Each structure stands twice: as C-alpha cells, then as structure tokens.
Amino acid sequence: MSADSVEATVAASGKNGKLAGLRYAGMLVCLLLLVWAMGCAPKIYNVNMRYQPTKVIPPAVTDGRKFSLTVAAFIDRRKMDDTLLIGRVIHSDGSSIPILPRYVKAQDAVAAALRELLIQSGYGVSPEKAAWDLQENTIRPDWGRILVGGAIEELDVTCLDTIPRKRYSAKARVTLVFADVQKKRIFYRITSESSSTLDHILFSEEKLESQINGVLSEAMEKALEGPETAKQIRESLKE
C-alpha cells in the first residue's frame, strides 16, 4: 500500500471516529434532556376553584325585604376513594397526574362559589360558614333566616394530553337545599348539572381551571335563575 493510501485511510478513520463521537454526544444530550424533562414534570396539578360567571346574572326577585342567607359547606357525594381529587391529566402512555383544588377542599370551594353567585344576584349573604349535614334536626337557630346547603354529586375535569391535540372535558352536578332556619324545615331542593369539552393544541393549568369553574358556575346559575327557586324563597319568607 502506498504512503498516500495509508494517509487517506487514517484520515477517513479519523473522520468516521469524529462522526461517531458526535452522534454519541448527541444521543447523550437527548437522554439527559429527557431525564431532565421527566424530573421537572409536575407530580400534581392545582386549580383555583371559584365562581366564574357564564352569563349576565339577573337580579333576584324578592319581596323587597332585607334578609340574610347563610351558606353551608357542601357534602361530597362523589363515588370515589379520594374526594380530594377533582380530575386527572392522562398522557398517551396511560400515565396520569392528579388534579386538586388549590387552597381549600372541593366542598368549601363549591360553597364559596355559591356564596359569590348569591351576592352577585342581589341576595344578602351572611359571612358565617356553617357546617350542615342537610338534616332538619341539626339546623341551628343562629344561622339566620334561610340556610342554603347542598351536595356535590359530580365534579370532574379531565385532560387527554396527546399529540397533536389536547382534549379537555369537565362536568358538574350539584344539589342545592334550602331551609327555613327558625322552623327547622327544608322547603326546597333542586339538582342542576353542566358539562363541556374543549380541543386545543396547548395544555395549561389555566385551561383546566377555566373548564371546571365554567361547568360548576353554570350548574349553580341554572339552579338559581329558574323562577321556582325565587318563588320558594319568597313563599318561605311570607310564612
């Protein structure tokens, strides 16, 4: 073999070695980035549950008298092992990340949303936060004129986090229970529900939050805006 051939062979080997080294380095960088991304992935998502108006709220139809409604924390009737959960983000590989309400439990968050809706509807609302089991014999006389409690029947937000689109779905079903405090008598119950879906190319906690708050707020708006609810409240005050 000539000297020129030897030099060419050595040069080619060196070039191939450099390419192999670059490929190895690139694979190593990709692996490190993957590990870093997995390490930075959240273990849980938190959303701030609150009343989020879905329409213009009509003023409450009352008889003109000033009275105060006391709102009790809701009872959670969802058929699930962990009622702290309000949903999950599900990835294409089947893994999932739980979604929890931020700051408070779902029962208190739903009660706070109802309290805000009642205030925006023009009702007087007591600042007291009652704990009521929806039984007539446990109503306390210091809970004002009308007590409003309720139960969470369904409350869930889910995101299927796949490529290229993300599908958000949410549902809420709540029961509101109205009671005459002085007579220790439940005079009205109403159950209302709402659901929604959203397809989007981006994932965010803000979208999870918007979906769950939207269906919860709409379900409660439906329960309050019907003429029967205001009628039952007025008739209770007349007695």
Side-chain angles (χ1 to χ4, degrees):
M1 182 180 293
S2 67
D4 291 341
S5 298
V6 172
E7 290 179 2
T9 301
V10 171
S13 299
K15 184 176 180 180
N16 291 335
K18 289 180 180 179
L19 290 175
L22 289 173
R23 283 197 295 269
Y24 176 77
M27 292 173 62
L28 182 61
V29 169
C30 290
L31 180 60
L32 290 174
L33 287 173
L34 178 60
V35 172
W36 176 82
M38 292 176 64
C40 292
K43 304 301 182 184
I44 193 170
Y45 288 107
N46 293 104
V47 297
N48 182 18
M49 290 181 62
R50 64 188 186 282
Y51 175 61
Q52 176 181 294
T54 66
K55 63 185 71 176
V56 176
I57 307 302
V61 180
T62 65
D63 60 2
R65 285 185 292 172
K66 295 293 183 180
F67 60 93
S68 181
L69 281 73
T70 299
V71 178
F74 275 53
I75 293 173
D76 200 332
R77 289 179 178 165
R78 291 177 295 163
K79 295 177 175 61
M80 55 194 302
D81 295 330
D82 187 358
T83 54
L84 287 176
L85 290 175
I86 57 170
R88 291 184 179 277
V89 176
I90 302 172
H91 299 289
S92 55
D93 62 359
S95 63
S96 65
I97 299 176
I99 306 169
L100 271 65
R102 184 178 283 122
Y103 308 125
V104 296
K105 294 180 179 179
Q107 302 96 305
D108 296 316
V110 172
L114 175 59
R115 188 177 292 109
E116 181 61 27
L117 171 57
L118 288 167
I119 291 172
Q120 293 196 23
S121 298
Y123 289 103
V125 179
S126 168
E128 182 173 0
K129 299 177 181 179
W132 183 38
D133 60 3
L134 306 183
Q135 301 300 310
E136 291 182 331
N137 60 0
T138 58
I139 297 174
R140 289 169 38 185
D142 58 337
W143 282 344
R145 185 68 179 83
I146 292 179
L147 176 65
V148 187
I152 303 171
E153 314 290 353
E154 285 186 279
L155 185 65
D156 179 81
V157 59
T158 300
C159 177
L160 298 179
D161 188 358
T162 58
I163 298 174
R165 303 191 70 81
K166 324 298 179 185
R167 165 153 285 200
Y168 300 83
S169 59
K171 58 184 177 181
R173 182 160 59 95
V174 294
T175 297
L176 305 188
V177 182
F178 296 79
D180 184 315
V181 173
Q182 302 309 311
K183 296 182 178 180
K184 300 186 72 170
R185 179 179 67 87
I186 293 173
F187 63 85
Y188 187 54
R189 298 174 186 263
I190 182 170
T191 299
S192 182
E193 61 186 332
S194 177
S195 62
S196 71
T197 59
L198 171 69
D199 288 332
H200 205 279
I201 61 172
L202 298 177
F203 169 80
S204 70
E205 284 186 333
E206 288 74 15
K207 288 181 174 56
L208 293 173
E209 189 173 289
S210 176
Q211 291 300 300
I212 191 68
N213 287 337
V215 294
L216 174 61
S217 301
E218 184 175 50
M220 293 193 296
E221 287 170 351
K222 288 178 180 178
L224 286 184
E225 69 182 1
E228 185 63 23
T229 301
K231 176 186 174 184
Q232 290 287 341
I233 292 175
R234 291 196 307 272
E235 290 183 352
S236 175
L237 291 171
K238 290 177 182 178
E239 296 178 1

